[in-house]
């Protein structure tokens, strides 16, 4: 007989689980009832702790299609079991995303006088109750697990969660098939499946929390111990343990419930708002955000709103504050999703939409839209793609409510310790029985004395003592503004042995200071310059690139955006002006943002020169309009804009980003031969270096055509213009904190998107790398042209000195001499590598990771 094929839900994701179907069995249930009565409730307690045993003991296995209860098991190393009850739902269709308008409308008309059942409502999700005629009703089966609903899929013959409009939907389909909105009937039909659009944290009742806490194995053992002691006359000791346990239980319940209430209030704040929904007949209807379903079209108000769902922007632009999700306070500019049907390449530019990959076009739930820009009277519209716990905010809340189990050495050691205690207790138990029988002690005394040995060997006050420690730790954390709804995790905080830091804004100050620039002329670098506001440079392409290559915007009259862009723009002394709402309503979508030089005093001249301040005034006609922006992409490490001098005949493309990336996109003859050496000089000193490039666009490229040109076409065959050198100062507390971590034998690692040599320099300056330590760069190359993957090693201080594994062995031995200064190495080495090399190492040289950790 062949091995039964396993079924999975959330296959090939971090939440992957095996799923098994079961049916209730009457005779098994009767046997369990008898067993519970005979065991005094002990069997029921065991089944409570072991969900897989409870299902297998009361049910028989069956096909998933007929299951009344499903058993789920995670596929990670913990193999945790869960059980869930299967419910049924009466609907007019099996697929919530089908556009069966006629069928639904017909059903609604025929259902006025016909009565049907209603489906189950769980976890406070208010599902819409619908009347469906019996001859048209279809029964859909589903279950809920950790705030996610899984529906039966006939095609897959398995349960599957609903992805909304984030699975296999192309850009062109979004614009052609999903941009017209939903009728009220279709919205109600989809709401049967998706439920109310809300992320609600259920606050457990005191009774539920009490049951979960009291039924902990530790407290059950205490009850058992106190019962045994009462037969031995240990009344005072038993009462003392009872009082300690009650105090610890009450304190824990109060603290945990208070944290749940805080989380509930935090999540519920602004979660329900009134929204404007565009219907299929192009009418605007006011509705509550809880009624939204995937496929609805939202109209984003010009004064902003809090997003109640995940949506993709169809028209207009939005300035969004995403600090609730990312922690970054810098407003982000969201642009509408491109329509491939309107581009020159047509469907060649078509892509499958994914919120995580297309963040620039996605408005995430919980984020705040600060302001919008619209054109020609067109509304700013967004298509709802995910609702409820499927949204980014919902998944964040789920990760807090249902944290992943941790496999720390502390837990393993604790279980091993308890196992040893149980072993000692078993030996004492057997010895007491044998010794008592040989001395002809009465049976009742033998039982009491033997069980007493077990209660003494395992400390009965252990859970109370641990709870007291956790409660005091929670109070100290609360004073620092830190909440915790999983108090057991506090114990593992002292077991940390590795901490990873970001560089900019974490180890260093948030802001950057411009040290100077180094321009390129005739394929060679000019001397570095510190005075950027010189009149001779104002009309240069270099300064023009600094002034236009950004995504800055004005919010309530104040210039906002990425701190790097803001600092570079402010250094030019130029002024940014955006079209007002009245102006954008009168013009088309290419009404540009304009930048222009301002009237300003020249900075002080260098020593030995005339320090008198001079004034200059450029013609007001010299303005540059930003026609199109390609926002910064961390994966591409660059951004670009298309701009035109007002009155000019041709447009210009400006490019800004990581020097190595920009150099590769430029014509080779425009990049100086000493580019690499100059770059190393600055990065080794800890400077952050940004490269600039420019090119003239063809005169045939009109304002309308540039809106549909691809990014790759713009960012190619550029002319290298030079470097901006920026200084990033360390935070005052950084060296002290890193020294303290080093003394505690906690390893520190820097993870940054900056240049590697810049990161190494900052690491040396802050004390992460000590002065006498050496740094080795690992350059890993993937397999290519039949050759295996390779790693090249080189010292940062001497790039010409390569390490060959066959000729030189690096001896790294850890010797903890106990001086309190951290681990001592015979030779101190640190390894540095970029993201591409790390990917190659993790895939082809996994053994090296364990050696270097």
């Amino acid at each position: 007989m062949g091995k039964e094929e396993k079924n999975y839900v959330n296959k090939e994701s971090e939440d992957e689980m095996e799923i098994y179907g079961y049916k209730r069995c009457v005779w098994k249930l009767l046997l369990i009832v008898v067993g519970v009565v005979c065991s005094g409730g002990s069997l029921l307690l065991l089944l409570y702790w072991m969900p897989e045993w409870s299902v297998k003991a009361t049910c028989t296995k069956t096909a998933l299609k007929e299951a009344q209860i499903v058993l789920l098991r995670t596929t990670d190393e913990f193999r945790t079991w869960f059980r869930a009850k299967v419910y049924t739902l009466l609907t007019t269709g099996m697929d919530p995303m089908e556009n069966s308008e006629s069928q639904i409308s017909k059903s609604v008309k025929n259902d006025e006088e016909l009565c049907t059942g209603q489906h189950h409502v769980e976890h406070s999700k208010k599902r819409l109750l619908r009347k469906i005629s019996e001859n048209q009703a279809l029964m859909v089966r589903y279950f809920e697990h950790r705030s996610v609903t899984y529906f039966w899929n006939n095609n897959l013959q398995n349960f599957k969660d609903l992805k909304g409009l984030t699975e296999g939907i192309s850009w062109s389909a979004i614009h052609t098939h999903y941009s017209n909105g939903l009728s009220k009937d279709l919205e109600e039909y989809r709401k049967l499946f998706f439920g109310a659009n809300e992320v609600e944290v259920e606050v457990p009742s005191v009774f539920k929390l009490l049951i979960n806490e009291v039924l902990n194995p530790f407290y059950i053992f205490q009850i058992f111990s106190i019962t045994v002691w009462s037969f031995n006359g240990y009344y005072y000791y038993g009462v003392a343990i009872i009082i300690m346990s009650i105090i610890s239980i009450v304190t824990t319940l109060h603290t945990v419930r208070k944290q749940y209430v805080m989380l509930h209030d935090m999540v519920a704040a602004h979660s329900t708002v009134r929204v404007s929904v565009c219907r299929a007949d192009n009418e605007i209807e006011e509705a509550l955000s809880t009624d939204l379903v995937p496929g609805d079209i939202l109209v984003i108000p010009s004064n902003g709103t809090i997003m109640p769902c995940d949506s993709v922007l169809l028209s207009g632009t939005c300035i969004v504050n995403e600090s609730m999700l990312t922690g970054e306070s810098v407003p982000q500019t969201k642009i509408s999703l491109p329509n491939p049907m309107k581009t020159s390449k047509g469907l060649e530019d078509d892509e499958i939409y994914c919120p995580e990959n297309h963040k620039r076009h996605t408005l995430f739930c919980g984020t705040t839209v600060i302001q919008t820009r619209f054109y020609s009277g067109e509304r700013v519209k967004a298509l709802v793609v995910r609702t409820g716990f499927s949204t980014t905010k919902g998944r964040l809340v789920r990760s807090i409510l249902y944290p992943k189990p941790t496999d720390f050495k502390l837990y393993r050691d604790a279980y091993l310790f308890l196992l040893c205690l149980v072993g000692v207790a078993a030996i004492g138990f057997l010895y007491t029985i044998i010794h008592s029988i040989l001395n002809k002690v009465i049976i009742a005394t033998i039982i009491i004395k033997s069980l007493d040995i077990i209660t003494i060997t395992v400390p009965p006050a252990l859970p109370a003592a641990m709870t007291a420690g956790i409660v005091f730790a929670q109070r100290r954390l609360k004073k620092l503004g830190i909440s915790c709804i999983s108090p057991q995790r506090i114990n593992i905080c002292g077991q940390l042995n590795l901490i990873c830091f970001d560089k900019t804004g974490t180890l260093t100050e948030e802001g950057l200071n411009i040290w100077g620039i180094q321009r390129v002329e005739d394929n060679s670098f000019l001397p570095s310059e510190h005075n950027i506001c010189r009149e001779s440079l104002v009309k240069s392409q270099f300064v023009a690139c600094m002034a236009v290559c950004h995504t800055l915007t004005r919010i309530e009259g104040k210039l906002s955006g990425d701190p790097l862009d803001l600092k570079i723009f402010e250094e030019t002394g130029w002024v940014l002006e955006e079209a007002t709402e009245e102006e954008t309503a009168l013009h088309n979508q290419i009404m540009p943002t304009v930048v222009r030089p301002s009237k300003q005093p020249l900075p002080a001249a260098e020593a030995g020169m005339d320090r008198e301040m001079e004034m200059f005034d450029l013609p007001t006609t010299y303005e540059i309009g930003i026609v199109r922006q390609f926002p910064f992409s961390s994966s591409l490490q660059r951004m670009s804009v298309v701009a035109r001098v007002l009155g000019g005949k041709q447009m210009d493309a400006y490019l800004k980003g990581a020097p190595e990336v920009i150099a590769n996109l430029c014509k080779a003859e425009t990049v100086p031969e000493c580019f690499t050496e100059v770059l190393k000089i600055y990065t080794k000193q800890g400077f952050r270096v940004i490269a600039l490039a420019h090119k003239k666009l063809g005169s045939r490229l009109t304002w309308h055509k540039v809106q549909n040109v691809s990014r790759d076409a713009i960012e190619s065959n550029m002319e290298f213009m030079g470097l901006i050198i920026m200084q990033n100062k360390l935070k005052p507390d950084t060296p002290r904190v890193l020294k303290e971590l080093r003394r505690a034998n906690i390893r520190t690692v820097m993870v940054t998107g900056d240049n590697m040599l810049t990161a190494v320099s900052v690491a040396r300056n802050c004390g992460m790398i000590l002065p006498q330590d050496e740094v080795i760069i690992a350059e890993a190359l993937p397999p290519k042209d039949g050759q295996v993957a390779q790693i090249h090693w080189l010292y940062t201080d001497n790039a010409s000195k390569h390490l060959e594994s066959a000729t030189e062995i690096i001896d790294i031995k850890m010797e903890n001499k106990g001086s309190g200064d951290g681990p001592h190495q015979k030779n101190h080495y640190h390894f540095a590598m970029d993201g591409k090399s790390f990917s190659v190492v993790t895939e082809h040289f996994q053994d090296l990771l364990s050696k270097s950790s």
Side-chain angles (χ1 to χ4, degrees):
M1 191 173 178
K3 188 177 180 180
E4 183 182 358
E5 184 179 354
K6 292 182 180 179
N7 292 301
Y8 297 88
V9 291
N10 305 323
K11 194 169 179 61
E12 297 180 355
S13 71
E14 61 178 1
D15 296 326
E16 182 181 78
M17 293 180 290
E18 298 172 8
I19 181 170
Y20 305 92
Y22 286 86
K23 265 183 152 182
R24 295 183 186 87
C25 180
V26 177
W27 67 267
K28 280 189 175 184
L29 189 59
L30 292 175
L31 284 180
I32 290 299
V33 172
V34 174
V36 169
V37 173
C38 295
S39 64
S42 300
L43 179 59
L44 184 62
L45 192 61
L46 181 64
L47 296 179
Y48 171 81
W49 290 334
M50 310 293 288
E52 74 277 19
W53 290 9
S54 67
V55 172
K56 293 177 180 178
T58 58
C59 304
T60 55
K61 202 166 187 180
T62 186
L64 280 177
K65 191 174 184 179
E66 302 172 353
Q68 296 174 327
I69 290 179
V70 293
L71 199 55
L72 305 164
R73 182 171 69 171
T74 60
T75 56
D76 56 20
E77 65 270 24
F78 302 101
R79 314 290 284 179
T80 309
W81 289 92
F82 303 96
R83 62 172 292 171
K85 184 179 178 182
V86 177
Y87 301 97
T88 56
L89 166 71
L90 294 178
T91 72
T92 58
M94 301 293 289
D95 183 7
M97 302 314 297
E98 65 183 354
N99 294 323
S100 50
E101 292 277 5
S102 57
Q103 180 183 357
I104 295 169
S105 300
K106 182 180 177 181
S107 172
V108 171
K109 292 178 182 177
N110 295 338
D111 292 342
E112 295 298 329
E113 301 176 357
L114 295 173
C115 179
T116 61
Q118 67 182 39
H119 62 282
H120 185 76
V121 179
E122 202 171 65
H123 290 293
S124 301
K125 281 189 173 182
K126 300 177 181 179
R127 296 181 176 276
L128 182 65
L129 301 179
R130 289 280 306 276
K131 295 179 180 180
I132 303 171
S133 59
E134 294 182 1
N135 61 338
Q136 292 180 334
L138 296 174
M139 186 176 293
V140 180
R141 304 168 69 253
Y142 71 96
F143 70 88
E144 284 196 16
H145 173 67
R146 291 189 164 182
S147 303
V148 177
T149 306
Y150 297 84
F151 285 89
W152 178 255
N153 187 304
N154 277 328
N155 296 328
L156 299 176
Q157 286 295 296
N158 195 359
F159 288 95
K160 189 177 184 299
D161 61 327
L162 300 177
K163 302 292 186 183
L165 290 175
T166 61
E167 191 174 51
I169 308 294
S170 64
W171 290 5
S172 57
I174 287 176
H175 282 284
T176 55
H177 301 301
Y178 297 98
S179 60
N180 297 323
L182 305 177
S183 66
K184 191 66 178 176
D185 292 337
L186 186 54
E187 182 187 67
E188 290 182 353
Y189 167 70
R190 288 188 179 177
K191 194 174 179 182
L192 285 170
F193 292 87
F194 290 99
N197 173 38
E198 56 186 357
V199 180
E200 186 174 359
V201 177
E202 180 184 2
V203 179
S205 64
V206 175
F207 178 76
K208 186 176 180 180
L209 287 173
L210 179 65
I211 293 299
N212 291 337
E213 186 71 18
V214 171
L215 294 184
N216 185 292
F218 275 114
Y219 287 112
I220 296 298
F221 178 74
Q222 278 192 338
I223 296 172
F224 166 74
S225 300
I226 293 169
T227 304
V228 173
W229 294 336
S230 64
F231 285 104
N232 275 337
Y234 301 154
Y235 300 117
Y236 294 113
Y237 186 50
V239 170
I241 295 298
I242 289 175
I243 293 174
M244 286 178 60
S245 299
I246 290 176
I247 292 174
S248 65
I249 289 173
V250 170
T251 307
T252 301
L253 292 183
H254 173 73
T255 306
V256 172
R257 195 170 194 279
K258 193 173 181 181
Q259 302 288 3
Y260 265 108
V261 171
M262 284 180 60
L263 181 62
H264 173 273
D265 294 343
M266 190 188 308
V267 172
H270 311 295
S271 60
T272 303
V273 295
R274 294 203 68 85
V275 294
S276 298
V277 180
C278 185
R279 292 294 173 205
D281 52 7
N282 211 27
E283 290 186 5
I284 304 299
E285 178 182 297
E286 293 293 319
L288 286 175
S289 58
T290 52
D291 294 328
L292 295 175
V293 295
D296 273 329
I297 300 295
L298 286 179
V299 178
I300 311 296
S302 59
N303 59 345
T305 184
I306 294 177
M307 289 304 299
C309 55
D310 286 353
S311 307
V312 57
L313 198 58
L314 298 179
S315 60
T317 60
C318 294
I319 309 299
V320 184
N321 182 353
E322 295 185 332
S323 58
M324 195 282 292
L325 293 180
T326 64
E328 296 287 345
S329 59
V330 178
Q332 302 292 318
T333 301
K334 303 288 184 174
I335 59 178
S336 58
L337 188 75
N339 188 349
M341 304 301 292
K342 294 183 178 180
T343 63
S344 56
K345 293 185 178 180
L347 293 179
E348 291 182 20
D349 290 335
D350 206 6
E351 296 183 35
I352 299 298
Y353 171 71
C354 174
E356 285 69 33
N357 295 339
H358 302 113
K359 293 181 180 179
R360 281 289 178 183
H361 313 298
T362 304
L363 304 174
F364 292 104
C365 178
T367 60
T368 303
V369 177
I370 302 173
Q371 67 180 33
T372 64
R373 294 188 68 185
F374 56 94
Y375 307 90
S376 304
E378 183 182 7
R379 299 185 181 98
V380 178
K381 295 181 180 179
L383 170 67
V384 177
V385 294
R386 291 188 300 211
T387 58
F389 277 96
S390 296
T391 62
T392 305
K393 176 183 175 181
R395 286 183 292 176
L396 177 63
V397 173
R398 285 182 60 231
S399 68
I400 298 173
L401 293 175
Y402 314 110
K404 287 188 173 295
T406 50
D407 185 24
F408 282 88
K409 190 175 184 293
L410 171 69
Y411 287 169
R412 296 195 297 269
D413 290 347
Y415 289 133
L416 185 61
F417 170 70
L418 290 177
L419 188 61
C420 292
L421 292 180
V422 170
V424 172
I427 294 172
F429 180 77
L430 293 175
Y431 173 78
T432 303
I433 292 178
I434 295 171
H435 184 268
S436 299
I437 291 176
L438 293 177
N439 291 320
K440 298 181 179 179
V441 180
I442 61 174
I443 295 177
T445 304
I446 292 175
I447 294 174
I448 297 299
K449 293 294 182 183
S450 302
L451 294 177
D452 191 34
I453 291 293
I454 296 177
T455 63
I456 294 173
T457 307
V458 180
L462 180 62
M466 292 182 66
T467 301
I470 290 173
V471 168
F472 280 112
Q474 273 189 295
R475 288 182 177 177
R476 289 195 293 270
L477 290 174
K478 185 180 178 182
K479 292 178 180 178
L480 299 174
I482 301 173
S483 300
C484 178
I485 61 172
S486 183
Q488 293 77 16
R489 302 282 178 122
I490 294 176
N491 283 331
I492 65 177
C493 293
Q495 298 295 309
L496 295 178
N497 55 15
L498 172 68
I499 296 180
C500 296
F501 291 95
D502 182 27
K503 183 179 74 68
T504 306
T506 304
L507 296 175
T508 63
E509 298 285 357
E510 190 70 46
L512 293 165
N513 297 317
I514 294 185
W515 179 84
I517 62 174
Q518 192 149 12
R519 295 183 295 133
V520 171
E521 280 188 10
D522 299 327
N523 195 29
S524 57
F525 280 109
L526 299 176
S528 58
E529 303 168 85
H530 303 282
N531 183 7
I532 302 173
C533 294
R534 296 202 318 273
E535 185 175 1
S536 59
L537 291 179
V538 171
K539 284 193 174 183
S540 67
Q541 295 290 2
F542 193 96
V543 172
C545 185
M546 294 176 64
V548 301
C549 199
H550 54 71
T551 54
L552 300 178
T553 187
R554 288 197 176 276
I555 299 175
E556 297 180 353
K558 184 180 178 181
L559 204 58
S560 300
D562 185 89
L564 177 66
D565 290 344
L566 199 57
K567 189 66 181 179
I568 293 175
F569 182 78
E570 288 175 347
E571 195 71 19
T572 64
W574 286 37
V575 177
L576 182 143
E577 296 177 349
E578 289 182 323
T580 63
E581 290 184 15
E582 292 77 12
E583 290 172 332
T584 53
L586 296 174
H587 296 81
N588 55 22
Q589 194 165 348
I590 54 179
M591 183 68 182
T593 296
V594 174
V595 295
R596 59 178 175 80
S598 63
K599 183 178 180 180
Q600 58 185 1
L602 280 173
E606 297 183 4
M609 298 179 65
D610 185 9
R611 294 179 175 271
E612 182 181 355
M613 302 298 288
E614 299 179 9
M615 301 291 292
F616 66 90
D617 190 8
L618 291 172
T620 56
T621 55
Y622 184 67
E623 297 178 340
I624 303 178
I626 302 174
V627 180
R628 189 178 181 191
Q629 296 171 327
F630 295 97
F632 176 78
S633 168
S634 56
S635 59
L636 299 176
Q637 295 182 293
R638 64 182 187 267
M639 73 158 295
S640 60
V641 298
V642 176
R644 192 180 78 171
V645 176
L646 268 63
K649 295 181 179 180
Q650 286 181 282
M651 296 188 196
D652 299 272
Y654 296 98
L655 182 64
K656 177 178 73 176
E660 302 90 342
V661 175
I662 302 302
N664 290 332
L665 295 173
C666 292
K667 299 175 182 177
E669 62 270 17
T670 66
V671 181
E673 295 181 0
C674 59
F675 166 78
T676 304
E677 290 73 19
V678 171
L679 180 61
K680 281 186 178 180
I681 290 173
Y682 290 120
T683 54
K684 280 189 175 182
Q685 297 178 64
F687 289 111
R688 183 169 184 179
V689 183
I690 304 295
L692 305 182
H694 160 264
K695 77 172 178 181
K696 284 281 186 184
L697 299 178
S699 57
R700 292 186 179 180
L701 192 63
T702 64
W703 287 58
H704 291 279
K705 288 181 179 178
V706 80
Q707 303 303 318
N708 299 318
V709 71
S710 68
R711 182 170 190 162
D712 292 338
I714 296 295
E715 298 174 348
S716 61
N717 294 319
M718 307 291 289
E719 295 181 2
F720 193 80
M721 290 199 300
L723 306 172
I724 301 176
I725 301 98
M726 311 191 76
Q727 196 173 22
N728 200 196
K729 296 180 181 179
L730 287 174
K731 287 185 176 180
D733 293 335
T734 298
R736 178 185 58 80
V737 171
L738 292 177
K739 184 177 181 180
E740 191 173 331
L741 292 174
R742 188 170 62 252
R743 291 176 64 87
N745 290 346
I746 296 178
R747 183 183 171 201
T748 54
V749 173
M750 184 191 299
V751 182
T752 178
D754 211 339
N755 183 278
M756 192 187 305
L757 294 179
T758 300
V760 171
S761 175
V762 172
R764 286 195 182 278
N765 293 337
C766 68
M768 186 177 288
I769 300 175
L770 298 178
Q772 67 273 18
D773 295 354
E774 292 193 72
V775 180
I776 299 171
I777 293 180
E779 293 183 351
L781 302 176
K784 187 177 181 181
D785 298 331
Q787 295 183 348
V788 297
Q790 299 178 7
I791 299 182
H792 298 294
W793 311 90
L794 56 112
Y795 288 104
T796 55
D797 296 329
N798 187 1
S800 61
K801 182 180 177 182
H802 286 258
L803 297 175
E804 302 295 342
S805 58
T807 60
E808 182 174 351
I809 298 175
I810 304 175
D811 186 17
I812 303 179
K813 295 182 179 178
M814 303 296 291
E815 299 178 20
N816 195 341
K817 296 183 179 179
S819 67
D821 291 329
H824 291 261
Q825 299 178 349
K826 183 177 180 181
N827 293 314
H828 295 260
Y829 291 95
H830 300 265
F831 293 95
M833 66 179 72
D834 59 21
K836 293 180 181 178
S837 295
F838 186 74
S839 299
V840 175
V841 170
T842 53
E843 184 176 355
H844 300 282
F845 303 96
Q846 295 183 0
D847 57 318
L848 293 179
L849 294 177
S850 58
K851 292 180 182 179
S852 61
S853 61

